[in-house]
Amino acid sequence: RYERHNDVSAPTYLPYNPPRVNFGGALWKPFSDPSIGRIRSTEQASIMHWNGGRHDNAGYAVCFYCGRAEMQLNEDLPAAFKVPHKRLRGGKESDGEMHCPGSDAEWAIKQNLWLIDESVTSAIELQLRDPETGAALQSDKVAWSVAYAIRHGLVRALGITESEVSVRVQKFVDSELGQVQSIFLYDSAVSGAGYVTQFTDYLNSILSAALELFDCPDQCDSACNACLVSWDSQHQRDFLDRHQGR
């Protein structure tokens, strides 16, 4: 087992992996002006968080006997599993053996596994068009900027904090729209809290607040803490531009 320590230089940090959102078969509804796009909602959206390790998503080797996991650097078995390893929770067998029996079982250690957590919550999905050309939204910068701006408008209208509503953008190929960016807003609370499903009820005030946010009180060049950059949007900092979002 690893020894406890207070060496703050020892922990390693994994890269941020945005979750994947799956809507299933929820039905689309056009906006009041169909030329700007469509929207759908569900209370059963699947949110999948995943961790592929630190090295090119090589994943982890996991002992299915004791549960010990070791990050993989490549396709090779981690050094900790090349020799008999101690059980994750320590202790010993009835015969006094301290090593995990999985060390000698061919079936026990599986390689290149990702760690995944899946939850269900309420969500909405928007697919937007250019009302002048009818072209589907494809720009990463426009999609992420609009996504965080309308999240700002929604939480302001409901009087809640930004952490209550999460944001995601995913690219799809749709039979009707072709390649399109989908904007997702979903309740951060597992099983939903009823926030994002009120989106259309406050649509006008949401859009007004979003446009106000794009004006930025600090008049920044693209995005800053006074407009689009917040505790979670920092991960998409390269895709935020208030001018393109407007």
Side-chain angles (χ1 to χ4, degrees), residues 4 27 47 53 64 70 103 114 129 136 165 170 172 183 198:
R4 296 184 180 90
L27 299 178
I47 314 297
F64 276 46
E70 294 288 339
S103 301
W114 287 9
R129 295 175 181 262
V165 177
Q170 293 174 198
F172 295 96
I183 295 173
Q198 301 181 64

Side-chain angles (χ1 to χ4, degrees), residues 5-13 54:
H5 63 81
N6 59 0
D7 182 1
V8 296
S9 65
T12 56
Y13 297 93
R54 191 173 50 160

Side-chain angles (χ1 to χ4, degrees), residues 129-198:
R129 295 175 181 262
D130 184 326
E132 296 183 359
T133 65
L137 173 60
Q138 297 185 19
S139 166
D140 288 320
K141 284 193 173 183
V142 174
W144 280 109
S145 301
V146 169
Y148 282 110
I150 60 176
R151 193 270 298 271
H152 166 78
L154 176 62
V155 300
R156 194 166 85 169
L158 296 178
I160 58 178
T161 63
E162 290 187 342
S163 61
E164 300 280 2
V165 177
S166 298
V167 177
R168 181 74 181 104
V169 170
Q170 293 174 198
K171 185 174 293 185
F172 295 96
V173 176
D174 181 77
S175 58
E176 178 183 342
L177 299 176
Q179 191 174 79
V180 59
Q181 297 276 16
S182 275
I183 295 173
F184 295 94
L185 300 183
Y186 59 92
D187 289 345
S188 301
V190 175
S191 298
Y195 295 138
V196 298
T197 51
Q198 301 181 64

Side-chain angles (χ1 to χ4, degrees), residues 41-233:
S41 65
T42 181
E43 295 181 354
Q44 297 294 316
S46 170
I47 314 297
M48 186 187 78
H49 296 270
W50 58 280
N51 178 350
R54 191 173 50 160
H55 303 280
D56 298 323
N57 292 323
Y60 297 81
V62 180
C63 175
F64 276 46
Y65 192 97
C66 73
R68 181 169 180 171
E70 294 288 339
M71 191 181 301
Q72 293 194 236
L73 304 180
N74 45 47
E75 295 295 320
D76 294 336
L77 190 68
F81 285 141
K82 290 182 178 179
V83 296
H85 63 276
K86 292 183 179 180
R87 295 187 301 181
L88 180 65
R89 296 182 179 275
K92 60 182 68 176
E93 296 293 316
S94 57
D95 60 1
E97 177 59 58
M98 297 180 65
H99 290 116
C100 172
S103 301
D104 304 314
E106 293 185 1
W107 59 268
I109 300 175
K110 305 300 183 183
Q111 297 189 66
N112 304 114
L113 301 180
W114 287 9
L115 307 181
I116 293 177
D117 174 72
E118 187 175 19
S119 60
V120 174
T121 190
S122 300
I124 61 169
E125 178 181 3
L126 297 87
Q127 291 184 342
L128 305 179
R129 295 175 181 262
D130 184 326
E132 296 183 359
T133 65
L137 173 60
Q138 297 185 19
S139 166
D140 288 320
K141 284 193 173 183
V142 174
W144 280 109
S145 301
V146 169
Y148 282 110
I150 60 176
R151 193 270 298 271
H152 166 78
L154 176 62
V155 300
R156 194 166 85 169
L158 296 178
I160 58 178
T161 63
E162 290 187 342
S163 61
E164 300 280 2
V165 177
S166 298
V167 177
R168 181 74 181 104
V169 170
Q170 293 174 198
K171 185 174 293 185
F172 295 96
V173 176
D174 181 77
S175 58
E176 178 183 342
L177 299 176
Q179 191 174 79
V180 59
Q181 297 276 16
S182 275
I183 295 173
F184 295 94
L185 300 183
Y186 59 92
D187 289 345
S188 301
V190 175
S191 298
Y195 295 138
V196 298
T197 51
Q198 301 181 64
F199 182 85
T200 54
D201 297 335
Y202 295 93
L203 184 57
N204 289 336
S205 59
I206 290 171
L207 296 180
S208 296
L211 290 173
E212 181 181 328
L213 188 69
F214 285 143
D215 285 336
C216 185
D218 289 352
Q219 292 297 295
C220 65
D221 292 335
S222 57
C224 69
N225 291 326
C227 55
L228 292 173
V229 179
S230 62
W231 68 279
D232 58 345
S233 66

